[in-house]
Amino acid sequence: MQQKISLRLPVGYATNNDCIVENIAKSTGNKIHEIRGFYLLKKSIDARGKTIWVNLMVNAFINEPFHQRELLAFSFKDVNTASKKCVIIGGGPAGIFAALQLLELGVKPIILERGQDVRTRRRDLALLNKKGILNPESNYCFGEGGAGTYSDGKLYTRSSKRGNIDRILNLFVHFGADENILFEAHPHIGTNKLPHIITAMRKHIMDCGGEFHFNKKVTDITLVHDEIKSIQTADRDTFSSDSYILATGHSARDIFTLLHKKHIEIIAKGFALGVRIEHPQELINNIQYGKRSFADNDYLPPASYNLAEQVDGRGVFSFCMCPGGIIAPAATNNGELVVNGWSPSKRNNPYANSGMVVQVEIEDVIKFNLANKKPNSDIHGDPLLMMNFQKDVEEKSFAAGGGKFVAPAQRMIDFTEEKMSTSLPQCSYIPGVHSTPLNEVLPTFINQRLKAGFKLFAQKMSSGKKQNGYFTNEAILLATESRTSSPVRIPRNEQLLSHPQIKNLFPCGEGAGYAGGIVSAAMDGEKVALASYALTGK
Ligand SMILES: Cc1cc2nc3c(=O)[nH]c(=O)nc-3n(C[C@H](O)[C@H](O)[C@H](O)COP(=O)(O)OP(=O)(O)OC[C@H]3O[C@@H](n4cnc5c(N)ncnc54)[C@H](O)[C@@H]3O)c2cc1C
């Protein structure tokens, strides 16, 4: 028989299969030879106490021949001659997983992606990092695989729809990800591996008869009554299909502007904005694991953290923490500075970075605009209000850095004490940093909450010594972390998932405000693909 068994073992035992078998036998009351094998269903590390424990959930084969984990099977159809097709605008996780779902339904997906394939994109990223030259169509947010490709590839989500999450993780494995993402508590893939997986997905979509076009930036939509008849691209191509999935991500400002211009309803929404913080990874390891336990164990992954507090009615929280990572320039336009983080699969860089952001609501921006006498601060529902605020802060940050994507930066304690940093610590951000008082870059309502938040986090993350905790001048802050989620929501009918005004338009993923992260965007892509099929596909 097969039995699911939970074990809690010290590190040394959890890494040794014989010890695991011994403990399975102990827990079930069987003899060791009766345990024919096992595979892991879940694994998490508990490093809160002096002893590091590993929590395992295993599927054990007792008096039954062992067989390997069964992966989910997918049946993608040949859609070369399919009668139904669906144009997908945007080749990020939402668009790609929508396409894969459509292949299973027998619908031909046609992906239009403004950016380049992963390989060409890598060259564009090198140019941006080393020379400060940005390609507005091919960067950390735009290009094959979307914002997810050159990311940390963390695959956890707050969504609780386990079945759907498993499907997404299995699809990643199907296209080349390591099986450990199926059982790790905090699975991640890494920037070095993601591009290969994304390429394999694209090749498969095309092998099945789907289309994947690069350098196809959608710039216009032709509407007839309540339907899209066709869409146009910057190079004057026209595409038409039965339905249109709009999965352009949170940085496609031209798409938000286009929809607004066409009187297609969009709504301003809150997001979060702040800085990216970077500590030496060793310091974070010491705080989280204690010095001795980390040094004694190769087993422990570079430590991460997840911090959140309420300050003056708004959330202040860590965002997209990257252990052993690199801070990246994630802007999509010249003259704007945006930072984000990524890490390789081994997370073996000497720095730990994370967004440290403050929740920003519409009323905060209205107040800010009024106080700063900004023109066009339309209090009565300007759908681009939050997007324009985000853009303003990014532009200010770019100017403060002095150009070429050099980031304005300050030491952590200096920031809270409003002191200019006379020197800056080493930092992973390749374009470089420029010492700047960040309270002159960020709006005051953000600054004040960040400062208060840092002090609260210091209490949670101390190493026991006053100077070596989280709150330290060894940490550097870079502005601006601003692309945390979309500043716009594109509404959709709750049941049909189509836009309330346009029956064959399906807003999807992070840009439309229905996802935050790779897995949730992928799940939304699948959901919307099914909805578009329900409308047109059968
Ligand atoms: C550096 C970095 C690190 C990240 N790390 C993680 C992480 O570790 N884990 C995680 O879960 N999430 C991470 N994220 C966030 C994650 O990548 C996004 O949440 C996710 O990619 C959103 O998916 P999406 O498909 O909705 O949109 P996107 O990934 O943004 O994809 C949208 C696509 O649409 C294309 N597009 C835009 N406009 C047009 C147009 N007009 N015409 C044609 N195509 C267009 C874009 O080029 C892009 O490829 C990270 C993001 C960045 C930038």
Side-chain angles (χ1 to χ4, degrees):
M1 72 168 179
Q2 292 178 42
Q3 201 176 327
K4 288 189 176 70
I5 294 154
S6 299
L7 300 172
R8 184 171 166 81
L9 304 173
V11 170
Y13 285 63
T15 46
N16 180 322
N17 280 1
D18 291 342
C19 289
I20 295 177
V21 167
E22 206 177 290
N23 278 278
I24 293 171
K26 215 186 273 175
S27 135
T28 57
N30 285 87
K31 305 229 160 62
I32 288 178
H33 72 267
E34 291 174 325
I35 314 298
R36 306 277 175 82
F38 71 91
Y39 57 75
L40 294 180
L41 295 171
K42 268 188 203 155
K43 183 176 124 191
S44 63
I45 296 170
D46 180 354
R48 286 170 296 182
K50 268 194 179 160
T51 308
I52 296 155
W53 293 97
V54 182
N55 296 319
L56 299 176
M57 164 88 86
V58 301
N59 191 36
F61 293 74
I62 304 168
N63 287 320
E64 176 183 315
F66 171 71
H67 56 81
Q68 298 289 348
R69 178 196 320 276
E70 272 177 38
L71 299 174
L72 291 187
F74 302 97
S75 71
F76 301 107
K77 302 203 170 75
D78 181 342
V79 294
N80 275 294
T81 55
S83 60
K84 294 286 175 188
K85 50 188 182 172
C86 173
V87 163
I88 299 170
I89 310 166
I96 290 179
F97 280 76
L100 292 170
Q101 179 75 79
L102 288 170
L103 288 181
E104 288 197 279
L105 296 167
V107 179
K108 181 184 181 96
I110 302 169
I111 296 185
L112 305 179
E113 168 53 53
R114 75 193 293 162
Q116 302 274 14
D117 64 282
V118 287
R119 196 184 288 187
T120 316
R121 200 175 160 193
R122 192 187 291 276
R123 286 201 289 271
D124 291 325
L125 297 185
L127 213 57
L128 171 60
N129 274 304
K130 290 182 189 148
K131 302 225 162 118
I133 299 169
L134 175 86
N135 178 346
E137 308 304 337
S138 174
N139 44 59
Y140 276 95
C141 290
F142 293 162
E144 183 177 14
T149 307
Y150 292 98
S151 76
D152 196 32
K154 287 181 281 292
L155 297 180
Y156 24 105
T157 166
R158 280 191 219 121
S159 170
S160 53
K161 294 183 182 146
R162 191 64 237 175
N164 298 349
I165 298 170
D166 285 344
R167 214 185 110 83
I168 301 298
L169 297 180
N170 268 273
L171 274 164
F172 272 113
V173 171
H174 186 88
F175 288 101
D178 197 297
E179 264 185 47
N180 66 13
I181 65 169
L182 300 176
F183 58 80
E184 293 279 1
H186 293 110
H188 91 114
I189 294 184
T191 298
N192 48 327
K193 294 190 174 168
L194 270 161
H196 304 291
I197 297 167
I198 298 293
T199 306
M201 288 177 174
R202 184 237 305 165
K203 285 192 172 149
H204 185 72
I205 290 168
M206 295 176 80
D207 287 348
C208 289
E211 295 175 21
F212 205 127
H213 301 270
F214 295 111
N215 297 311
K216 288 288 178 201
K217 174 178 169 182
V218 171
T219 50
D220 206 358
I221 299 173
T222 302
L223 290 167
V224 176
H225 306 302
D226 61 349
E227 277 190 70
I228 298 183
K229 278 293 160 210
S230 63
I231 54 169
Q232 290 74 45
T233 56
D235 58 351
R236 293 168 187 269
D237 232 344
T238 297
F239 292 82
S240 55
S241 67
D242 306 290
S243 58
Y244 298 81
I245 292 178
L246 184 64
T248 42
H250 58 24
S251 292
R253 290 181 177 154
D254 39 12
I255 287 290
F256 297 139
T257 308
L258 173 69
L259 296 177
H260 186 43
K261 202 177 88 192
K262 292 264 171 192
H263 306 290
I264 297 172
E265 188 188 6
I266 57 171
I267 304 159
K269 74 175 253 308
F271 65 107
L273 185 142
V275 293
R276 191 150 277 257
I277 190 166
E278 186 171 82
H279 290 81
Q281 180 64 52
E282 203 186 340
L283 189 148
I284 301 296
N285 293 341
N286 290 342
I287 294 172
Q288 299 293 69
Y289 296 145
K291 255 182 192 159
R292 215 189 50 222
S293 52
F294 186 72
D296 290 349
N297 276 297
D298 299 344
Y299 182 79
L300 287 175
S304 63
Y305 58 83
N306 187 1
L307 297 165
E309 286 288 350
Q310 282 288 313
V311 177
D312 199 12
R314 294 284 177 266
V316 180
F317 53 96
S318 58
F319 171 80
C320 189
M321 199 265 150
C322 298
I326 302 273
I327 301 182
T332 46
N333 275 317
N334 280 301
E336 297 167 0
L337 208 139
V338 181
V339 283
N340 207 312
W342 62 268
S343 59
S345 55
K346 287 194 176 150
R347 289 182 160 164
N348 53 359
N349 283 299
Y351 304 106
N353 73 65
S354 174
M356 272 293 160
V357 292
V358 178
Q359 175 193 357
V360 182
E361 296 299 343
I362 291 173
E363 66 232 52
D364 301 328
V365 174
I366 290 173
K367 255 195 229 163
F368 174 79
N369 283 355
L370 288 173
N372 289 280
K373 299 191 174 50
K374 294 252 174 200
N376 307 324
S377 53
D378 180 3
I379 303 173
H380 308 290
D382 174 5
L384 302 178
L385 175 89
M386 302 300 270
M387 182 187 98
N388 288 330
F389 165 76
Q390 184 190 48
K391 184 171 158 52
D392 281 355
V393 182
E394 291 168 3
E395 283 174 354
K396 207 166 174 190
S397 179
F398 184 88
K404 290 199 167 181
F405 299 93
V406 172
Q410 196 169 12
R411 289 182 188 262
M412 187 183 199
I413 297 180
D414 291 349
F415 169 70
T416 61
E417 294 177 353
E418 297 193 5
K419 270 192 215 152
M420 181 85 175
S421 296
T422 48
S423 67
L424 292 172
Q426 288 285 324
C427 162
S428 68
Y429 182 72
I430 301 169
V433 286
H434 174 61
S435 177
T436 312
L438 293 184
N439 60 342
E440 290 174 13
V441 178
L442 298 168
T444 311
F445 71 91
I446 302 279
N447 277 323
Q448 284 172 345
R449 289 187 172 94
L450 271 181
K451 285 176 194 165
F454 287 154
K455 289 181 183 158
L456 294 168
F457 297 149
Q459 291 161 21
K460 289 186 173 170
M461 297 270 291
S462 103
S463 67
K465 289 185 190 166
K466 209 174 170 200
Q467 275 304 308
N468 289 334
Y470 189 79
F471 188 60
T472 169
N473 252 347
E474 280 183 75
I476 182 170
L477 313 177
L478 277 67
T480 305
E481 177 89 20
S482 49
R483 307 277 175 99
T484 49
S485 68
S486 184
V488 167
R489 181 179 305 282
I490 310 177
R492 60 189 192 193
N493 178 296
E494 237 172 77
Q495 268 90 45
L496 303 174
L497 304 188
S498 54
H499 191 282
Q501 290 165 268
I502 301 165
K503 66 178 185 209
N504 61 350
L505 174 65
F506 292 86
C508 177
E510 188 160 36
Y514 300 99
I518 297 167
V519 171
S520 61
M523 289 200 294
D524 199 56
E526 292 202 323
K527 191 167 143 187
V528 161
L530 288 165
S532 80
Y533 179 71
L535 178 78
T536 64
K538 288 175 191 159

